[in-house]
Amino acid sequence: MDIKKVFQLIIMAAVMMAVTSCNDGKKQKLSDALLLRDVTLIDGNGGQPQEHADILLQGDTIAAIGKNLDSSNITVIDLTGKTVLPALISDHVHIGSLKGTTNKAENYTRDNILSQLKKYQDYGVLTIFVAGSDRPYLFESSIRDSSARGLFPGARIHTAGYGFGVPAGAPPINFAMDNVYRPTDVKQISAEMDSLQQTKPEVVKIWVDDFGGQFKKMNPAIYKAVVDEAHKRSLRVMAHAYYLSDARQLVADGVDIIGHSIRDSIIDDALVQQIKAKDIVYIPTLSLDEFAYIYARRPEWINDPFFKASLEPGVYEMITSEKYQTDLKNSPAYARNIHAFETALKNLKKLYDAGVLIALGTDSGAMPLRAQGFSEHLELELMVQAGLTPLQAITVATKNAAQVLKIDNKFGTVEKGKTADLLIVDGNPANNIKDTRKIVSVYKAGKEVSKGPLK
């Protein structure tokens, strides 16, 4: 064989190897691709659902959205009749200390934290913000950092570290709140804020409330100093508030997030406009206020397996006992709590209509009554009861909640280039918000991690 032919054969072999290599590369590239076929898509942006959409997942990312996408060399899952929406984000929860019917410091273990993060995940809640009740173990064990990077199972943790409360006051120390800073003098706050910064908090939490007259409220001079010191460090402040008068002062002093509803009075128009003008976020936690009285009767969901699966052991027996229900109904706070809930509904609608940024939060996990996972779905229903449309409520629980945590570049909506955190349900929540509870599957970063709490 002459040299010319040998040279030609070598070139042909090289070309074939290159082609084979390219084809192998293509197969490798598509091996982590998944096509969700023929879904109803609620993307979290507030628009009408897209019918018969395909969603292409590539690794942990949403690679494409359209109709009749090419499925060559791709695993296809037919989801005809199913709805895909962004995984929920809850901007006010508590984890770790709740176990059974107790809320204690000794409950705060790796296993308990992991169990609760997985519970949120089962309910389609893949991002949570813990509002000031975390404990040193979370940071010393590196669970927080691993979770934020998606390397720890369950919902991703965002945190305020340790909040600021009142000596012998709120938050109640017997609710595993012994790590909360409780300054008696404004001179203490700078050093305490420096200490807090070691936990790398994303927001600073303060409790400005008397818990129905049980405690002395935080001195306005103290919380103004907390706000000022936080802002010096480019940190935002979330306030636990209840009274309109406190909200008015907090807004004047520069608070960034109101972490509960104002519940004693209807918010006046002037304050609404101040909240709007200052871009203050409002997190209504309506489910908290319903839980405060609703177990005195038998709510329609009391025996729903979706609710019961969210409860810690022993809680169902406690809340359905005749003694518990009678004691709750006879409590001096019963009428007050009903009024608080009804006022909260009205204030949410008024603020939403004014264009204030509303985000989802529930205070779930703070006590046994506030069931983790279920609370977030109940909150959606209650926002609709307040007058929001189902699509508006879903946007509050996804896009808006991501915006508050400053993670909306990756999370909160179903869009090309975003992380594939998805909740897949039967039915269509745009028509019936309770359909968010019909969970078929939960995807975290492009991988199925749950089929819901009942599977």
Side-chain angles (χ1 to χ4, degrees):
M1 184 179 296
D2 60 35
I3 294 176
K4 185 176 180 180
K5 284 190 174 183
V6 170
F7 186 66
Q8 288 175 334
L9 288 171
I10 291 173
I11 291 175
M12 289 175 64
V15 170
M16 290 180 67
M17 287 179 65
V19 170
T20 301
S21 177
C22 288
N23 287 338
D24 287 345
K26 184 177 180 181
K27 289 179 181 178
Q28 180 64 33
K29 180 180 179 183
L30 297 177
S31 66
D32 62 351
L34 181 67
L35 188 68
L36 306 181
R37 174 76 79 192
D38 195 24
V39 307
T40 297
L41 172 60
I42 299 174
D43 65 12
N45 281 309
Q48 288 301 308
Q50 302 175 42
E51 303 289 346
H52 306 295
D54 295 345
I55 305 172
L56 176 64
L57 310 184
Q58 184 80 53
D60 64 358
T61 303
I62 299 167
I65 299 172
K67 292 190 176 183
N68 301 313
L69 295 181
D70 183 9
S71 59
S72 304
N73 298 320
I74 297 175
T75 301
V76 176
I77 298 181
D78 188 340
L79 293 177
T80 302
K82 309 293 191 269
T83 297
V84 173
L85 58 154
L88 304 182
I89 297 172
S90 192
D91 284 347
H92 188 156
V93 308
H94 300 277
I95 60 168
S97 300
L98 176 65
K99 189 172 185 179
T101 59
T102 68
N103 197 319
K104 298 179 180 180
E106 53 262 39
N107 295 338
Y108 202 88
T109 64
R110 183 186 188 280
D111 287 347
N112 203 36
I113 292 170
L114 177 60
S115 173
Q116 291 174 10
L117 294 179
K118 285 185 173 179
K119 181 184 290 187
Y120 280 114
Q121 177 177 274
D122 285 340
Y123 281 83
V125 183
L126 289 183
T127 302
I128 58 170
F129 175 77
V130 185
S133 61
D134 280 324
R135 304 184 63 79
Y137 174 73
L138 185 74
F139 309 102
E140 295 166 358
S141 65
S142 78
I143 288 176
R144 182 270 184 95
D145 291 337
S146 297
S147 177
R149 296 196 301 270
L151 303 177
F152 198 74
R156 299 178 184 83
I157 301 171
H158 294 258
T159 179
Y162 321 127
F164 284 81
V166 181
I173 199 166
N174 60 346
F175 274 57
M177 293 290 190
D178 49 304
N179 282 286
V180 171
Y181 300 102
R182 298 176 187 269
T184 58
D185 192 298
V186 294
K187 296 176 182 177
Q188 300 171 242
I189 293 169
S190 180
E192 290 175 338
M193 195 69 70
D194 288 341
S195 171
L196 174 62
Q197 277 200 285
Q198 296 178 26
T199 70
K200 299 178 182 178
E202 294 160 80
V203 173
V204 176
K205 171 72 178 293
I206 57 175
W207 278 265
V208 181
D209 186 19
D210 62 5
F211 280 53
Q214 296 182 62
F215 306 117
K216 182 179 178 180
K217 286 196 288 189
M218 182 179 282
N219 185 328
I222 294 288
Y223 65 68
K224 186 179 189 308
V226 172
V227 171
D228 290 344
E229 289 294 334
H231 287 177
K232 287 178 185 177
R233 296 161 176 78
S234 299
L235 290 169
R236 295 170 294 160
V237 178
M238 170 192 284
H240 172 132
Y242 183 99
Y243 300 101
L244 178 59
S245 58
D246 292 330
R248 194 173 284 120
Q249 188 62 53
L250 284 161
V251 169
D253 287 340
V255 76
D256 303 282
I257 303 168
I258 298 175
H260 291 287
S261 288
I262 302 308
R263 289 158 277 179
D264 67 318
S265 304
I266 301 300
I267 299 177
D268 55 274
D269 294 342
L271 184 59
V272 170
Q273 291 309 312
Q274 290 176 46
I275 292 172
K276 168 64 176 171
K278 293 187 175 185
D279 294 323
I280 296 171
V281 177
Y282 190 81
I283 302 176
T285 64
L286 300 171
S287 55
L288 172 157
D289 292 303
E290 183 168 62
F291 287 142
Y293 75 89
I294 198 66
Y295 297 121
R297 62 185 77 157
R298 297 185 69 83
E300 51 91 15
W301 38 261
I302 193 70
N303 289 317
D304 186 340
F306 189 79
F307 166 66
K308 294 174 72 173
S310 71
L311 297 175
E312 288 287 307
V315 175
Y316 179 78
E317 290 75 15
M318 179 183 76
I319 62 177
T320 56
S321 70
E322 184 176 348
K323 180 181 185 307
Y324 183 88
Q325 294 176 346
T326 300
D327 288 349
L328 192 60
K329 186 173 290 186
N330 292 334
S331 166
Y334 182 65
R336 175 181 182 267
N337 290 337
I338 294 175
H339 175 264
F341 173 69
E342 293 171 346
T343 304
L345 294 176
K346 295 172 184 175
N347 281 335
L348 167 58
K349 184 64 164 66
K350 187 169 185 176
L351 288 162
Y352 185 91
D353 288 347
V356 171
L357 182 64
I358 310 295
L360 181 131
T362 62
D363 210 23
S364 57
M367 57 190 302
L369 307 182
R370 302 169 192 168
Q372 293 162 314
F374 175 78
S375 293
E376 282 64 33
H377 291 267
L378 179 61
E379 190 77 15
L380 290 169
E381 179 186 348
L382 296 178
M383 286 191 285
V384 172
Q385 183 178 329
L388 277 63
T389 69
L391 288 172
Q392 288 170 341
I394 290 168
T395 297
V396 164
T398 55
K399 181 179 182 177
N400 291 8
Q403 185 177 336
V404 173
L405 296 181
K406 299 186 176 182
I407 57 171
D408 49 314
N409 61 324
K410 290 186 177 181
F411 301 97
T413 55
V414 181
E415 297 180 270
K416 182 179 179 180
K418 295 284 187 80
T419 299
D421 277 13
L422 308 174
L423 174 59
I424 304 173
V425 300
D426 275 322
N428 186 346
N431 299 329
N432 183 355
I433 194 62
K434 292 182 184 180
D435 283 354
T436 64
R437 306 177 193 184
K438 299 176 180 178
I439 298 175
V440 172
S441 191
V442 180
Y443 280 75
K444 178 183 178 182
K447 301 292 188 296
E448 186 182 52
V449 291
S450 177
K451 292 187 179 296
L454 302 182
K455 300 293 179 66

